[in-house]
């Protein structure tokens, strides 16, 4: 009896590390399957970068989505916004579509965690074996910069104002990044505000950003930008390599593992 073939899969978040890993692995594993779990709430810059990456890889990136979208899930959760302590969004919108796509197939999942990062990767179903090529090869942020530069792809545009990929309303983003969202995507900022209003009008006291509503946050935009002087300099003077190095420094908080790969 033939053993079931092992699938090789690589998840893209639209961020620098997973993109660099896809480029790094392109000629090493010819039958690699690339995927992106689309929450339906990603930034336009992410979709644009994935299209470019697809061109570079010469392969389609499978777009996976949940059977139930964010709006449906929010309704089921009685308008309780997800938060760092109750990250139902990660399970419902990222992990569940990925695990459904793999099913019971044996699979090796290539994960773009760098050698200079302390975090672990997704550990889920026993048929999915995670591997960490950057860690194994001792590659850090400077190597990620080099891989992206040599490919000619550069980085997604959102890195000018935000340090990681993910949903436009991601609660892991800093207050200065919310100000960036309001500037770069006022429509998405308004949508995030609408979700928040529904939540705070109902049973939930959660706001997207700790300690204040988005209205209160944006009223302090000048103060927040002044506090975040480093990030304010990004779009003006820095090269994209410098932006990337700073984004890596900004990763000290624990974001969603499968979302930020
Ligand atoms: S990016 Fe943020 S909001 Fe989106 S699923 Fe991940 S943790 Fe949740």
């Amino acid at each position: 009896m033939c053993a079931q073939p092992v699938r090789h899969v690589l998840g893209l978040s639209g961020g620098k590390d997973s993109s660099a890993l896809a480029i790094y692995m392109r000629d090493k594993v010819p039958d690699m399957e690339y995927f992106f779990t689309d929450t339906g709430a990603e930034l336009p810059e992410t979709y644009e970068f994935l299209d470019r990456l697809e061109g570079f890889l010469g392969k389609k990136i499978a777009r996976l989505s949940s059977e139930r979208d964010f709006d449906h899930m929010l309704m089921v959760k009685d308008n309780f916004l997800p938060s760092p302590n109750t990250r139902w969004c990660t399970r419902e919108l990222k992990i569940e579509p990925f695990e459904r796509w793999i099913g019971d197939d044996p699979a090796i999942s290539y994960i773009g965690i760098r050698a200079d990062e302390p975090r672990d990767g997704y550990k889920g179903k026993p048929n999915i074996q995670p591997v960490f090529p950057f860690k194994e090869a001792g590659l850090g942020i400077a190597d990620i910069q080099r891989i992206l530069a040599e490919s000619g792809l550069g980085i997604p545009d959102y890195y000018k104002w935000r340090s990681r990929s993910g949903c436009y309303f991601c609660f892991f983003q800093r207050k200065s990044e919310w100000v960036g969202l309001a500037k770069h995507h006022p429509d998405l900022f308004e949508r995030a505000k609408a979700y928040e209003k529904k939540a705070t009008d109902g049973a939930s006291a959660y706001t997207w950003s700790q300690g204040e509503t988005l209205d209160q946050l944006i009223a302090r935009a000048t103060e927040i930008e002044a506090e975040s002087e480093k990030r304010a300099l990004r779009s003006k003077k820095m090269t994209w390599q410098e932006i990337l190095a700073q984004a890596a420094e900004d990763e000290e908080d624990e974001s969603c593992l499968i979302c930020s790969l």
Side-chain angles (χ1 to χ4, degrees), residues 39 41-42 70 82-83 87-91 93-94 162 164-173 208 255-260:
T39 61
E42 311 288 337
F70 180 77
S83 69
R87 280 159 42 174
W88 56 259
C89 50
T90 304
R91 154 84 10 223
L93 302 175
K94 291 281 181 180
R162 184 170 154 146
R164 64 173 63 84
S165 59
C167 304
Y168 67 83
F169 49 60
C170 186
F171 41 81
F172 282 118
Q173 66 191 306
W208 285 122
S255 60
C256 168
L257 292 175
I258 199 160
C259 300
S260 62

Side-chain angles (χ1 to χ4, degrees), residues 14-202:
K16 61 187 186 318
D17 297 330
S18 61
S19 302
L21 184 64
I23 295 163
Y24 180 72
M25 296 304 300
R26 184 184 69 167
D27 300 323
K28 295 183 172 65
V29 180
D31 57 349
M32 187 76 83
E33 298 174 64
Y34 302 97
F35 70 93
F36 169 65
T37 44
D38 188 349
T39 61
E42 311 288 337
L43 291 164
E45 294 96 323
T46 299
Y47 295 117
E48 187 270 334
F49 188 76
L50 285 172
D51 288 346
R52 280 166 44 206
L53 188 57
E54 211 164 47
F56 179 91
L57 297 171
K59 260 189 193 178
K60 278 277 174 213
I61 297 168
R63 317 276 169 135
L64 315 180
S65 52
S66 170
E67 285 175 337
R68 297 165 301 180
D69 66 10
F70 180 77
D71 284 8
H72 178 88
M73 287 311 306
L74 194 60
M75 191 183 68
V76 170
K77 305 278 178 193
D78 209 12
N79 286 315
F80 269 81
L81 298 176
S83 69
N85 294 329
T86 51
R87 280 159 42 174
W88 56 259
C89 50
T90 304
R91 154 84 10 223
E92 299 290 341
L93 302 175
K94 291 281 181 180
I95 295 174
E96 183 274 331
F98 169 58
E99 292 185 343
R100 184 161 36 88
W101 182 61
I102 295 292
D104 294 326
D105 298 343
I108 298 176
S109 175
Y110 295 76
I111 297 177
I113 295 181
R114 307 186 308 271
D116 55 4
E117 286 184 280
R119 66 192 173 113
D120 289 329
Y122 155 82
K123 291 186 192 80
K125 295 172 71 180
N127 56 313
I128 305 174
Q129 183 202 338
V131 293
F132 305 93
F134 286 156
K135 271 191 185 295
E136 283 157 24
L139 301 185
I141 186 64
D143 301 292
I144 271 59
Q145 285 178 351
R146 178 182 47 74
I147 291 166
L148 291 168
E150 286 173 1
S151 74
L153 280 172
I155 54 174
D157 276 353
Y158 64 72
Y159 275 116
K160 288 177 185 159
W161 55 276
R162 184 170 154 146
S163 57
R164 64 173 63 84
S165 59
C167 304
Y168 67 83
F169 49 60
C170 186
F171 41 81
F172 282 118
Q173 66 191 306
R174 289 172 170 71
K175 292 183 187 285
S176 60
E177 293 173 338
W178 280 109
V179 175
L181 180 70
K183 277 191 179 168
H184 293 269
H185 298 292
D187 53 329
L188 297 182
F189 187 80
E190 288 304 315
R191 269 198 240 170
K193 259 173 58 177
Y195 284 129
E196 185 180 74
K197 184 158 183 354
K198 245 190 189 174
T200 51
D201 282 354

